[in-house]
Each structure stands twice: as C-alpha cells, then as structure tokens.
C-alpha cells in the first residue's frame, strides 16, 4: 500500500472522457491544494481477450506449435497494452501540467480496477473517474461496468465525470437526511473546494412541513461555515426527475449526494436512485457513502 496520503486520484483509460477526468482532477487538486496522481489499470478481461484457452479444440499434431504461437501473440498484446498505457499517462501528465499542476504522479498497474482502488483507498482524498469507459463510450444510456462496484467498495468522495470540463460555479446537494447526505454536508462546509460557490440545498419529499424542520439546521450549518451562498429548496414529487429538472432550470454544474445507501438486493427489486441519477443527469456527480 502506498504511503502517500490525501491525493486526488484520476482514473484514465483512453476513453473520450479521459481528458475531462484530467481537467476535473486538476481543478480539485488546485482548489484543495492536494497532490494529483494519474492511474491507468491494465485489466485483462478473459471474456474479451483475443487469445482464450483453445487447447481443447486443437488437434494432437499441431497442439504444441499453435499453443506456442498463441502465447507469443498474447505476450505481444501485453507489450502493446503496456506501451499504450504509458502513452496515455504521458499525455495525461502533459495535460494536467498545462492546467497548472506542478508535479503530477502517475502509476500503471495490472489487474482489477476495483481491487487496485481498494488497495489505494487510504491514499485517496477524492477519486475522479469517467461515467463509462471505452467499452460503453458510445452508449450514453449506459454506465461503466465496474462503476457501481467501485462506488460501493470505496468510502471516499468519488466524482463521476460525464461531460467536458467546466469550472463549477453552482452546486446542488441532493439532501435526504441519510448518513451519507450528512457526510456530504460536512464535506461541503469544511472543504476549500466549495468556497465561493453557490450551493443549492434541495430536498425532495412527500411532506413539506416535516422536511422544512429538517432542512433549516442543515442550511444554517452551511451558511455558518462561511464562503458559501446557500439556497434552500423543498420539492414534492419524484426525486430523480425533479432534481434533474431543478438542475437544468438553475444551471447547476455539479450534484453532491449520498450513493447506494441500500443493499444490492433492495436496489435489484425496487431500483436504485443513485443508478437513475447517474443515467439521467448530464452533469458530474460527487458521490459519498
């Protein structure tokens, strides 16, 4: 495990969102005065590998020769992936240096992206990742295959990027009274990342009176923190639909919210609010668990 702490970690894979990931990571690192690290993981998917185990289909006479050829092809593929990753990391370093980051670090790893991030979790201050990688980059209705597992596995803030970089001026906290939502309030109140921004504190509920009593102390906490303009709003109706409509109406640049507060079984049976927000909103989401 790395001894470095408090890093902004940007995951890049060469997809069309990699540049935006770099830009948002650089913006965060500068705002909070934290070091920036770029990560590229070579994840060997057996289901997509070009040279799967074909030994059972090879005739006895040609088995040894063909296996040698398959091994050589796979070795060449590994070398090409390694070289491609190095080029991606160098391009990313050049980009964040141009954005003002003096000494960005970079790391290339082999294996599972989820496992790599779990190993690095203690060193992460904020993780920045694209909403989808190369496999789904041309499918705007899809989220990355590993994204939910990453969000559920880590207990660090995760910025999910889904568009080209735009320096946020207005954020929205989707507050629901959960522990993760309270964690988001504490983070916004104490972090230099949000100073000078306008914060819309929005609660979607069925009971406006009860919600107002719950929301006011939270709004006061943000206001008393200083440096943040706070606008509170209670909406009645379907949360994901109303939050996205409010976002569009008020030109919100980023949503801050708790993520996956229920079990996988609950979400499988009743649907996940987090998954709906990830697929519906067109702006970055900063998620906490």
């Amino acid at each position: 495990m790395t001894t470095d702490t408090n890093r902004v970690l940007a995951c890049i894979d060469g997809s069309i969102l990699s540049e935006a990931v770099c830009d948002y990571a650089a913006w965060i690192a500068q705002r909070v005065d934290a070091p920036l690290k770029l990560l590229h993981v070579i994840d060997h998917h057996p289901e997509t590998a070009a040279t799967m185990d074909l030994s059972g289909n090879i005739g006895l006479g040609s088995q040894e020769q063909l296996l040698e050829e398959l091994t050589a092809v796979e070795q060449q593929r590994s070398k090409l992936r390694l070289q491609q990753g190095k080029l991606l990391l160098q391009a990313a370093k050049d980009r964040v240096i141009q954005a003002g980051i003096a000494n960005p670090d970079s790391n290339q790893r082999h294996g599972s992206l989820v496992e790599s991030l779990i190993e690095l979790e203690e060193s992460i201050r904020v993780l920045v990742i694209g909403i989808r990688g190369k496999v789904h980059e041309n499918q705007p209705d899809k989220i990355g295959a590993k994204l939910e597992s990453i969000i559920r596995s880590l207990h660090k803030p995760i910025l999910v990027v889904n568009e080209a970089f735009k320096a946020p001026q207005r954020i929205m906290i989707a507050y629901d009274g959960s522990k993760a939502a309270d964690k988001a309030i504490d983070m916004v109140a104490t972090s230099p990342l949000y100073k000078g921004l306008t914060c819309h504190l929005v609660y979607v509920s069925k009971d406006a009176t009860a919600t107002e009593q719950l929301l006011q102390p939270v709004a006061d906490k943000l206001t008393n923190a200083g440096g943040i303009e706070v606008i509170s709003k209670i909406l009645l109706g379907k949360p994901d639909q109303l939050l996205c409509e409010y976002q569009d109406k008020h030109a919100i640049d980023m949503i801050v919210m708790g993520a996956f507060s229920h079990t996988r079984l609950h979400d499988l049976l009743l649907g996940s609010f987090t998954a709906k927000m990830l697929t519906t909103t067109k702006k970055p989401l900063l998620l906490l668990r």
Side-chain angles (χ1 to χ4, degrees), residues 3-124:
T3 57
D4 297 325
T5 59
N6 249 4
R7 288 185 177 272
V8 177
L9 183 65
C11 289
I12 61 169
D13 65 351
S15 65
I16 56 177
L17 288 172
S18 290
E19 290 186 350
V21 167
C22 291
D23 295 343
Y24 275 102
W27 175 75
I28 294 173
Q30 290 176 308
R31 295 272 296 186
V32 303
D33 192 24
L36 172 59
K37 185 171 186 174
L38 302 159
L39 176 67
H40 176 253
V41 176
I42 301 175
D43 197 345
H44 300 277
H45 302 287
E47 67 273 16
T48 59
T51 54
M52 297 172 64
D53 182 8
L54 301 175
S55 57
N57 300 324
I58 299 173
L60 292 177
S62 59
Q63 182 175 10
E64 184 176 348
Q65 178 182 352
L66 188 51
L67 284 176
E68 289 178 357
E69 293 177 1
L70 288 170
T71 300
V73 170
E74 182 57 34
Q75 289 175 345
Q76 182 62 23
R77 280 175 57 86
S78 295
K79 289 180 181 179
L80 290 173
R81 287 180 180 178
L82 186 65
Q83 184 61 29
Q84 180 190 39
K86 290 180 179 179
L87 292 173
L88 289 173
L89 285 172
Q90 185 58 56
K93 286 185 72 172
D94 293 342
R95 189 174 185 90
V96 298
I97 289 172
Q98 188 175 12
I101 303 298
N103 296 298
D105 192 10
S106 64
N107 182 218
Q108 187 174 61
R109 298 167 67 104
H110 290 263
S112 162
L113 174 59
V114 179
E115 291 177 2
S116 295
L117 292 174
I118 291 173
E119 290 177 12
L120 295 169
E121 181 173 11
E122 291 303 314
S123 71
I124 298 173

Side-chain angles (χ1 to χ4, degrees), residues 137 261 284:
E137 66 179 351
S261 57

Side-chain angles (χ1 to χ4, degrees), residues 17 129-132 160-164 278 281-285:
L17 288 172
I129 190 169
I131 193 169
R132 62 188 66 88
V160 181
V161 174
N162 50 17
E163 65 165 8
L278 283 167
T281 183
K282 304 304 179 185
K283 298 293 183 179
L285 291 104

